[in-house]
Amino acid sequence: MKRRKFLIFGSVLGLSPYIQAKGVSEFEKTFKKVAPTLLAVQDHLFPEGSKLPSAKSMNTIQFLFETMMHESFDRDIKAFVIEGAKELEKREKGSFLSMTAQEKERALRAYEETRYGRNWLSHIMTLTMEGLFSDPIYGSNIKEAGWEAISSYSGLPRPTSRYIAL
């Protein structure tokens, strides 16, 4: 290998972790901005005191973050989840988090009347339910409470690691 090719190859290899890390940290930064809104929606959909475990007690916001961080997660859905949360806050003039349960219900029902909002809420519901009913190895469904609430059991064989490397 010639010296020039060696230097170019070494530079590319040396920079590759930083290039990848920049993308991850940018998503993390964006997610952290909308996480309170996402959590508030999850908590409203799956509140404390219902037959199902609450979103908060099952740590579904962390499940959502880790799921969306995985390299196999669809980029379009990732962007849709983030933009939908921003849109909800924009529609409610930044006050969604401080609303009462009745006001949140009204706001979410109004958002649901739009095609975009209906699709976004459907995705949030699906992703939250995935957390509630996934194998506990993925960080949600703590102590199998989601399964217990619906009198269900895990599939066999159960996963032995969180995610398959691609």
Side-chain angles (χ1 to χ4, degrees):
M1 179 181 287
K2 292 189 177 193
R3 182 174 185 256
R4 183 178 192 160
K5 285 185 180 180
F6 175 78
L7 290 174
I8 292 170
F9 182 70
S11 296
V12 170
L13 278 178
L15 291 175
S16 62
Y18 297 107
I19 293 169
Q20 186 177 1
K22 183 180 183 290
V24 170
S25 64
E26 187 63 35
F27 171 73
E28 287 182 64
K29 188 171 104 176
T30 304
F31 187 88
K32 285 181 182 181
K33 287 180 183 176
V34 299
T37 301
L38 291 168
L39 179 58
V41 171
Q42 288 180 325
D43 284 345
H44 187 79
L45 296 173
F46 296 94
E48 297 280 342
S50 68
K51 291 183 180 181
L52 291 176
S54 70
K56 190 175 286 184
S57 70
M58 291 291 106
N59 202 19
T60 58
I61 193 68
Q62 185 64 29
F63 173 84
L64 178 61
F65 173 71
E66 290 176 9
T67 299
M68 290 174 65
M69 281 286 293
H70 194 266
E71 62 191 16
S72 68
F73 195 83
D74 187 282
R75 283 183 271 163
D76 293 336
I77 295 174
K78 186 185 294 191
F80 183 58
V81 167
I82 299 294
E83 292 307 314
K86 289 178 182 178
E87 177 65 22
L88 176 61
E89 275 297 337
K90 182 180 173 185
R91 288 173 58 89
E92 299 307 320
K93 299 174 179 54
S95 65
F96 185 77
L97 297 176
S98 61
M99 291 178 165
T100 66
Q102 292 85 5
E103 291 169 331
K104 285 179 182 173
E105 181 69 19
R106 178 205 48 81
L108 291 173
R109 292 292 180 181
Y111 196 29
E112 183 183 36
E113 291 298 317
T114 68
R115 184 173 178 221
Y116 188 89
R118 182 173 43 257
N119 288 333
W120 183 79
L121 284 165
S122 176
H123 272 82
I124 297 303
M125 177 74 77
T126 299
L127 291 165
T128 304
M129 287 175 56
E130 284 179 10
L132 290 173
F133 301 120
S134 67
D135 194 281
I137 197 169
Y138 298 109
S140 195
N141 192 11
I142 298 166
K143 297 182 181 175
E144 303 177 3
W147 295 339
E148 188 177 311
I150 61 171
S151 299
S152 182
Y153 305 97
S154 69
L156 296 174
R158 296 204 27 205
T160 56
S161 64
R162 287 188 92 156
Y163 299 104
I164 297 172
L166 296 178

